[in-house]
Amino acid sequence: METTSDPAGERDGLRRYPALPVWVVEDHQEVLPFIYRAIGSKHLPASDISFVHFDSHPDLLIPVNMPADTVFDKETLFGELSIENWIMPAVYAGHFSHIVWLHPTWAQQIREGKHHFAVGKDISTTTIRVTSTDHYFLSDGLYVTEDQLENQKPLQLDVITVKPYKLSNNEEEKDAVSSAKKPKLALEDAENTAPTNCDSRSEGLGKDAVTQTRGQTCLGPSCSRSPESQDPQPAISTGEILDTLKKGGAFVLDIDLDFFSVKNPFKEMFTQEEYKILQQLYQFKKPGINLTEEDLVDCVDTRIHQLEDLEATFADLCDGDDEETVQKWASNPGMESLVPLVQSLKKRMEVPDYEMVHQAGLTCDYSELPHHISTEQEIEDLIKSVYYLLKNLPKPTLVTIARSSLDDYCPSEQVDTIQEKVLDVLRSLYGTLDIHLVYSAESSPS
């Protein structure tokens, strides 16, 4: 692709696209090759890229058994990734150093605020692991102590709730998006909102926003510091993100259309009773407070064994789900409810897909997958929020969009409308776009 001459581009050694490329894929991990292509063509730097990620899901897990060195063989890497684990390998490869996860009010998988931790190679398993003690990573068995990691890459992760743009009364009219001049995030500038203690609700959310149910956001100086697994994270100001992005230069804007409306597809695959049993079987027992590193390692070991046992159980059931096999596994501690689960599944289907049952179970740890099918008005309010937020950020180097509709995360009856609204926002902000509709194998200039 030709590029125009640009003095700034010459100064930082990066090439410039004549029109902003927008890659639209179906499954989210399919965007990574286009980001790598931009690195290869020197439109993006090879390291210290900021990644601004609008999504109802963090997508920050890691392929559990993948050797860390796989990241240096990109074709093999792309074949190993799936929708929940495609970002962190790019962190370990040294490409992303700052991730901003912007999520709607119904998605609360990672504690709000700033997170600083290392991503590296576990010296005992040679897999990619992290030093973060957030429940999101603990529940997947991804935490290790710092002395267990080699080739460490520091990561700054900012987690921010985006409030729907809404003017519902006079008080909010003054407050919301500063009369449409700036994005209204869950966390506003600390100096403007700092209370004197910790509140389990983000001060900047306003009356119509969802109260945070897990963790706390601390904006005040009186909050004491404790290990990361329990400590409220410091507030993030919009200005800080702007400063980081401006300092860092090139950044990728990434949007999953399920940010605007999302389903938990597993809820439709299973009855309420079956889903409840899966939650019991796969439940992650959250660690207590003030734990030592040793306690955290024990917690992760216990969790890994629990998940390995469950994987072995359902793999065995794939080979045969006769009563004797089911009883054998159900006799293990905490597995009693396997019997009614299998009975219920076999009543409803001739051959239950036990691999899918296990995949569904893995999403039932300390919280459910987000499920919020938005109204047209809610979608419109979030579209406005995204517009005002992006208006305050520099222009990205490229945009990646995931539809997430074939696997039923973004409702199929809404996805095309949402996509068109998002493209309209991008056009109004950035002018001519170079749109690649990868999911339909078409490309069209806009």
Side-chain angles (χ1 to χ4, degrees):
M1 180 182 285
E2 285 182 19
T3 54
T4 52
S5 111
D6 181 326
E10 288 162 18
R11 274 200 306 275
D12 62 20
L14 294 175
R15 300 166 71 200
R16 292 287 184 267
Y17 292 110
L20 180 66
V22 180
W23 299 93
V24 188
V25 304
E26 183 54 55
D27 295 335
H28 213 152
Q29 78 275 13
E30 294 168 354
V31 305
L32 198 59
F34 301 110
I35 294 169
Y36 273 51
R37 187 186 293 182
I39 294 170
S41 63
K42 301 214 168 10
H43 290 91
L44 281 173
S47 60
D48 286 334
I49 300 169
S50 292
F51 188 70
V52 177
H53 177 58
F54 288 86
D55 202 324
S56 278
H57 310 90
D59 297 350
L60 294 174
L61 295 176
I62 296 165
V64 177
N65 299 314
M66 184 185 82
D69 290 351
T70 307
V71 304
F72 305 116
D73 175 357
K74 65 182 182 185
E75 294 312 320
T76 306
L77 172 66
F78 297 155
E80 292 279 339
L81 302 178
S82 54
I83 55 173
E84 76 284 358
N85 62 24
W86 59 278
I87 298 174
M88 284 303 220
V91 174
Y92 177 69
H95 302 312
F96 300 152
S97 59
H98 180 209
I99 295 168
V100 183
W101 178 40
L102 293 143
H103 60 92
T105 52
W106 54 76
Q108 300 286 340
Q109 296 94 313
I110 301 178
R111 276 169 302 114
E112 208 73 0
K114 273 183 186 296
H115 302 248
H116 290 273
F117 55 93
V119 181
K121 183 202 280 192
D122 182 345
I123 55 178
S124 61
T125 63
T126 73
T127 54
I128 301 172
R129 291 295 182 264
V130 301
T131 58
S132 171
T133 56
D134 192 275
H135 291 145
Y136 179 78
F137 298 108
L138 290 177
S139 68
D140 229 51
L142 299 175
Y143 163 81
V144 297
T145 56
E146 198 168 338
D147 58 7
Q148 276 288 109
L149 281 188
E150 61 182 10
N151 195 21
Q152 294 182 20
K153 301 295 192 306
L155 176 65
Q156 177 181 332
L157 168 64
D158 295 335
V159 178
I160 305 170
T161 307
V162 179
K163 177 186 172 181
Y165 175 89
K166 193 178 288 183
L167 302 178
S168 56
N169 58 34
N170 289 338
E171 184 190 330
E172 283 194 13
E173 209 163 311
K174 288 181 215 156
D175 208 31
V177 201
S178 288
S179 301
K181 285 182 186 158
K182 69 172 184 177
K184 179 71 172 176
L185 304 183
L187 299 177
E188 291 296 355
D189 294 352
E191 65 268 24
N192 296 334
T193 59
T196 55
N197 58 7
C198 283
D199 188 346
S200 63
R201 202 170 91 138
S202 238
E203 289 295 304
L205 278 171
K207 291 176 186 156
D208 59 335
V210 175
T211 301
Q212 286 176 289
T213 52
R214 290 196 323 283
Q216 294 179 314
T217 298
C218 175
L219 302 179
S222 64
C223 295
S224 61
R225 302 291 297 171
S226 60
E228 191 197 354
S229 53
Q230 297 84 40
D231 191 36
Q233 298 299 294
I236 305 168
S237 74
T238 318
E240 280 181 89
I241 296 170
L242 277 168
D243 288 346
T244 311
L245 290 178
K246 280 173 179 161
K247 277 180 206 152
F251 80 95
V252 175
L253 171 61
D254 175 73
I255 302 171
D256 194 316
L257 300 184
D258 74 15
F259 170 86
F260 301 94
S261 183
V262 68
K263 290 165 76 173
N264 175 352
F266 297 114
K267 282 201 154 177
E268 293 181 355
M269 287 183 201
F270 302 100
T271 65
Q272 259 184 314
E273 194 51 43
E274 288 163 358
Y275 197 74
K276 200 187 289 181
I277 293 172
L278 283 175
Q279 288 175 313
Q280 290 165 2
L281 288 171
Y282 285 82
Q283 183 185 17
F284 170 62
K285 194 177 174 196
K286 289 183 188 177
I289 57 170
N290 299 324
L291 294 184
T292 62
E293 279 191 348
E294 198 179 337
D295 293 333
L296 288 166
V297 169
D298 286 346
C299 164
V300 166
D301 283 346
T302 302
R303 179 61 172 171
I304 289 170
H305 287 127
Q306 178 193 3
L307 295 177
E308 285 174 347
D309 289 348
L310 286 160
E311 184 178 12
T313 300
F314 287 104
D316 201 17
L317 292 177
C318 285
D319 295 335
D321 59 0
D322 56 273
E323 198 174 333
E324 190 183 337
T325 305
V326 176
Q327 289 291 351
K328 177 186 79 175
W329 288 105
S331 63
N332 292 330
M335 296 281 280
E336 304 80 7
S337 55
L338 188 66
V339 175
L341 175 64
V342 172
Q343 285 172 346
S344 176
L345 291 168
K346 287 173 84 167
K347 267 184 204 159
R348 292 196 303 111
M349 52 194 86
E350 203 175 321
V351 183
D353 182 348
Y354 290 111
E355 195 177 330
M356 184 60 77
V357 175
H358 178 58
Q359 291 305 317
L362 290 173
T363 69
C364 302
D365 36 39
Y366 59 90
S367 68
E368 287 187 24
L369 284 177
H371 185 83
H372 180 98
I373 300 173
S374 299
T375 63
E376 282 182 37
Q377 187 58 54
E378 285 175 317
I379 292 169
E380 196 55 49
D381 291 343
L382 276 173
I383 287 283
K384 285 177 186 166
S385 291
V386 169
Y387 171 80
Y388 288 118
L389 197 153
L390 293 178
K391 198 174 178 185
N392 284 269
L393 298 183
K395 184 180 179 179
T397 301
L398 77 157
V399 180
T400 52
I401 295 175
R403 285 165 59 86
S404 299
S405 62
L406 294 184
D407 53 11
D408 234 17
Y409 283 99
C410 185
S412 54
E413 67 277 9
Q414 293 180 323
V415 68
D416 290 329
T417 306
I418 294 172
Q419 179 174 312
E420 207 40 59
K421 286 178 185 291
V422 168
L423 291 174
D424 283 346
V425 163
L426 297 177
R427 286 186 193 100
S428 66
L429 290 167
Y430 309 126
T432 304
L433 306 175
D434 179 22
I435 299 174
H436 304 263
L437 303 177
V438 181
Y439 66 94
S440 66
E442 293 170 13
S443 290
S444 63
S446 172

